[in-house]
Amino acid sequence: MPNPLLLVVEDDRNLSKLLEFNLERAGYACNISESGENAFEQLSRKCFDLILLDIMLPGMNGFELCQKIKQHQIYKDIPIIMLTAKGEEIDRILGFELGIDDYVVKPFSPRELNLRIRAVLKRGRRKSAKMQEILNGDGIVIDLSRHRVTSDQRELELTLMEFKLLVALLKRKGEPQSRETLLSDVWDVDRNINTRTIDTHITRLREKLGEKGNLIKTLRGIGYKFEGEKE
């Protein structure tokens, strides 16, 4: 099983490097971001298991980024632990009202942080265990809990958008899906995104699936559907 992937959002480079060192020693993989804007961009590229989020950030602060994440259709279920030098009760209350999973006040020990991360990830695994974890269609296997896709036992490197798009198609195998429906499933519906964006991602997804890309059928004037080889 791959190491949990954490997104560390911290603008203090010395602290972020120290966090990265200690977390990797504890068995986690880390991506570092120094701003809320960059962190949100990174979320579209990889499937993160947990976010460590500082409050005091340049530009978009931690509370604003947390709110943006929790309002997003795709990212809202990623657990968040806030890291901050502020210990006031009002900050903790605001964080929990926005949907954070835990709150750690600086300075903290690497052991304490590791224990809190493990506890939050464990709660998340229990929650995901209640959901269907495996989707299977014509040799394409999607492990939902691990965000892992294989095609004829070959692991595919998909972006988060491509992953969500494939899940949406395979969950409704054989059913026509309009571009609007796929857009609402995969992207934040509040964003001004043209439905033709779906076409671009379908093209890339088909390329990564290789021969099995032909299982995603284009329905002229409607959208797409995942059609099994025997259908």
Side-chain angles (χ1 to χ4, degrees):
M1 182 175 179
N3 295 341
L5 179 59
L6 312 185
L7 177 59
V8 179
V9 190
E10 170 60 67
D11 66 321
D12 184 327
R13 291 192 178 184
N14 291 329
L15 179 55
S16 65
K17 290 298 181 184
L18 182 61
L19 282 168
E20 183 179 28
F21 174 77
N22 286 313
L23 291 169
E24 289 182 348
R25 283 187 63 186
Y28 304 106
C30 295
N31 277 32
I32 304 296
S33 178
E34 296 182 359
S35 71
E37 290 80 4
N38 177 259
F40 202 76
E41 182 180 342
Q42 288 201 47
L43 286 170
S44 68
R45 299 175 184 168
K46 296 185 179 180
C47 300
F48 291 97
D49 297 290
L50 184 140
I51 300 169
L52 295 176
L53 176 59
D54 188 26
I55 288 181
M56 304 301 291
L57 295 170
M60 184 191 306
N61 66 38
F63 290 129
E64 292 169 330
L65 176 58
C66 179
Q67 184 175 35
K68 190 172 182 179
I69 291 170
K70 292 302 180 182
Q71 290 177 344
H72 197 283
Q73 186 68 24
I74 297 174
Y75 314 139
K76 63 183 181 180
D77 293 325
I78 303 174
I80 296 175
I81 296 178
M82 275 195 160
L83 309 176
T84 179
K86 290 187 175 183
E88 290 86 351
E89 181 182 15
I90 186 62
D91 292 316
R92 294 196 298 273
I93 291 173
L94 178 55
F96 285 120
E97 286 179 343
L98 290 173
I100 68 169
D101 295 82
D102 206 347
Y103 190 106
V104 184
V105 179
K106 302 173 186 176
F108 48 82
S109 71
R111 177 175 172 78
E112 177 192 3
L113 181 59
N114 182 32
L115 289 173
R116 289 179 179 270
I117 290 172
R118 285 168 57 188
V120 170
L121 289 175
K122 188 175 181 179
R123 290 200 298 269
R125 284 193 292 270
R126 284 201 299 265
K127 185 186 298 183
S128 65
K130 298 176 182 178
M131 303 166 55
Q132 182 185 8
E133 293 188 351
I134 302 294
L135 292 175
N136 195 330
D138 294 86
I140 298 173
V141 179
I142 304 177
D143 186 331
L144 295 173
S145 63
R146 296 166 62 188
H147 291 269
R148 184 171 179 263
V149 179
T150 58
S151 177
D152 290 335
Q153 301 182 342
R154 174 177 61 92
E155 186 163 358
L156 305 181
E157 292 291 334
L158 303 183
T159 66
L160 184 57
M161 299 302 183
E162 292 162 354
F163 177 85
K164 290 286 187 178
L165 190 54
L166 184 58
V167 168
L169 288 166
L170 196 51
K171 275 187 173 179
R172 306 185 190 107
K173 181 180 175 181
E175 299 178 19
Q177 303 298 308
S178 69
R179 290 181 176 86
E180 290 77 13
T181 297
L182 291 171
L183 190 64
S184 67
D185 284 345
V186 178
W187 277 267
D188 184 347
V189 294
D190 293 330
R191 293 181 61 188
N192 184 22
I193 300 177
N194 191 293
T195 54
R196 292 295 173 180
T197 301
I198 292 288
D199 301 335
T200 301
H201 286 270
I202 287 286
T203 298
R204 293 173 182 168
L205 181 57
R206 281 172 170 159
E207 290 175 354
K208 292 183 179 181
L209 288 171
E211 291 184 0
K212 291 193 179 294
N214 294 327
L215 297 174
I216 301 176
K217 305 296 184 182
T218 300
L219 305 176
R220 183 169 296 182
I222 300 175
Y224 299 94
K225 74 172 178 177
F226 188 97
E227 186 175 273
E229 294 174 342
K230 296 180 180 179
E231 295 178 31

